[in-house]
Amino acid sequence: MEPLLQAGGVVVRSFLAAGEDRALADDVLDGLTRPFKELPPKHFYDARGAELFDRITELPEYYPTRAEREILVAHAADVVALTGAGELVELGSGTAAKTRILLRAMHDAGTLRRYVPLDVTESMVRATAGELVQELPGLEVHGIVGDFERHLAEVPPPEAGVPRIVAFLGGTIGNFPPGSRRRFLRGVRRLLRPGVDHLLLGTDLVKDPAVLEAAYDDAAGVTAEFNRNVLHVLNRELGADFEVGAFDHVAFFDREHEWIELRLRAQRHMHVHVGALALDVAFAAREELRTEISAKFTRRRLDGDLGAAGLRLVRVLTDPGDRFALSLSTPRR
Ligand code: SAH
Ligand code: AVI
């Protein structure tokens, strides 16, 4: 396949171009024609959604990004010393803002060889690839525009003798629908060589529900805009006619499952037409559409999920406020 971009240490390949609207169409057909309506969160992230997420990471209420950055600043050099990593594969890499701390530590340790960002948002993969080869001379970047639920096999094989870290930061593991988290981790495990490679996983921790709910319902309304953005995506990509302003942002902590749920609640009875699918969808007044879950972790949940995927915890690092954890694990032999 022709790369999207190939120049001076950077190659970017896309696995989304052909048939990607089909994947969105299938998700919409599956998700909007069932009694409890639901859409997968990956469709938030068009260029505007990515920009809104970036603004979320700066909000006073949204602590996960700052907490994870604190952990990386304090421990990146230890992580590099412990793993000897020369390659960093990052799933859901986004702007790679925090990743730079790790890449810089690898560079300072003299091990840095290759960075492999994988994200659904093409503009971000292209931009980070270009920036990083400038910032870190000698670095090779192999960017992948793809879906980490479907395209892990497109990650290039590791180089012999170069230990790899697969990083999944930000707490994005919490956004998997129930049931598929462990399947995904098993897929990640296949990217890792026993005795050589590590998974670096960011998980947000269970805490006071008021703190959690504020993080997903900020006073400035940025998360509400991010949530409603998925309706703009459906209008543009599938010719739907959602009246975006007629859906209210809902965020609450489900204490039984220990996850945050984002929903969009119809203000009144509505009919929506999805042109590309020739589909009519009715919303009752106050009916809700689930757009995201964001699971929060305990040490036990982390152990359980990693263990079920054949991974063994090596270190759990937390921020001074114990809000967020960054864990290193490796395949069980
Ligand atoms: N890792 C960054 C960004 C987290 S936001 C951080 O820690 O701040 C989640 C990122 O995952 C976004 O960049 C989004 O585009 C990407 N993403 C979401 N679902 C995805 C999927 N199924 N496959 C690939 N990337 C995905
Ligand atoms: C990307 N992911 C970890 C974010 C989260 O916190 O679950 C997405 C997000 N949704 C609303 N705010 C942030």
Side-chain angles (χ1 to χ4, degrees):
M1 181 206 293
E2 275 294 291
L4 281 179
L5 176 70
Q6 186 156 27
V10 177
V11 54
V12 176
R13 288 181 201 280
S14 176
F15 297 91
L16 290 185
E20 199 34 39
D21 43 349
R22 203 58 248 156
L24 173 64
D26 288 347
D27 287 344
V28 169
L29 195 57
D30 293 350
L32 297 190
T33 58
R34 61 171 86 147
F36 175 40
K37 297 183 174 64
E38 180 163 28
L39 288 171
K42 69 174 170 224
H43 303 304
F44 283 136
Y45 298 95
D46 63 349
R48 179 169 180 265
E51 194 190 312
L52 284 165
F53 177 73
D54 234 31
R55 284 173 56 198
I56 288 175
T57 65
E58 313 258 299
L59 292 169
E61 297 94 333
Y62 193 77
Y63 61 84
T65 309
R66 279 187 296 280
E68 192 178 43
R69 185 178 296 114
E70 280 177 38
I71 304 172
L72 283 167
V73 167
H75 298 287
D78 306 336
V79 167
V80 174
L82 196 89
T83 58
E87 174 172 271
L88 184 62
V89 175
E90 184 175 18
L91 308 176
S93 43
T95 59
K98 285 164 290 165
T99 318
R100 284 169 164 79
I101 302 166
L102 208 52
L103 290 170
R104 176 64 59 188
M106 290 162 72
H107 179 263
D108 292 348
T111 56
L112 183 62
R113 300 276 287 262
R114 183 165 67 167
Y115 175 52
V116 182
L118 185 158
D119 203 284
V120 272
T121 311
E122 180 183 322
S123 55
M124 287 203 288
V125 177
R126 278 176 177 268
T128 40
E131 286 160 22
L132 283 165
V133 287
Q134 297 288 319
E135 284 170 35
L136 298 162
L139 175 69
E140 263 178 58
V141 179
H142 184 129
I144 301 174
V145 181
D147 183 335
F148 50 53
E149 291 189 75
R150 293 185 289 135
H151 300 124
L152 290 186
E154 310 301 345
V155 171
E159 261 183 79
V162 179
R164 158 187 277 186
I165 289 177
V166 174
F168 196 32
L169 302 180
T172 306
I173 186 74
N175 297 137
F176 276 89
S180 56
R181 190 158 72 212
R182 291 180 174 192
R183 188 171 347 117
F184 168 77
L185 286 171
R186 274 181 215 115
V188 171
R189 189 210 167 287
R190 288 193 277 277
L191 298 176
L192 303 170
R193 294 161 294 182
V196 183
D197 300 330
H198 290 81
L199 168 66
L200 183 68
L201 182 67
T203 45
D204 194 14
L205 299 176
V206 172
K207 59 183 64 62
D208 179 356
V211 174
L212 286 167
E213 285 179 351
Y216 291 85
D217 194 9
D218 58 286
V222 183
T223 310
E225 271 311 293
F226 174 75
N227 193 6
R228 282 191 278 261
N229 191 53
V230 73
L231 303 183
H232 285 298
V233 171
L234 267 46
N235 284 352
R236 187 187 62 236
E237 299 295 324
L238 298 178
D241 61 1
F242 279 96
E243 193 188 321
V244 178
F247 286 82
D248 291 328
H249 170 66
V250 176
F252 65 94
F253 184 57
D254 177 329
R255 287 169 167 75
E256 186 192 333
H257 295 104
E258 297 186 309
W259 67 47
I260 285 280
E261 273 198 38
L262 293 196
R263 296 184 180 190
L264 289 168
R265 182 189 290 145
Q267 290 171 351
R268 51 185 158 73
H269 176 65
M270 269 182 265
H271 283 275
V272 175
H273 182 69
V274 186
L277 301 176
L279 176 72
D280 280 306
V281 183
F283 282 85
R286 299 185 61 77
E287 184 176 346
E288 292 177 352
L289 158 67
R290 181 160 74 181
T291 48
E292 184 176 64
I293 68 160
S294 188
K296 305 305 163 190
F297 285 75
T298 54
R299 171 68 188 245
R300 192 154 163 229
R301 179 163 297 143
L302 187 60
D303 258 333
D305 285 348
L306 293 171
L311 293 158
R312 173 178 65 78
L313 266 176
V314 176
R315 284 276 190 292
V316 181
L317 307 163
T318 55
D319 60 300
D322 271 336
R323 295 170 299 174
F324 198 91
L326 202 52
S327 60
L328 261 183
S329 55
T330 194
R332 273 206 230 98
R333 283 174 194 274

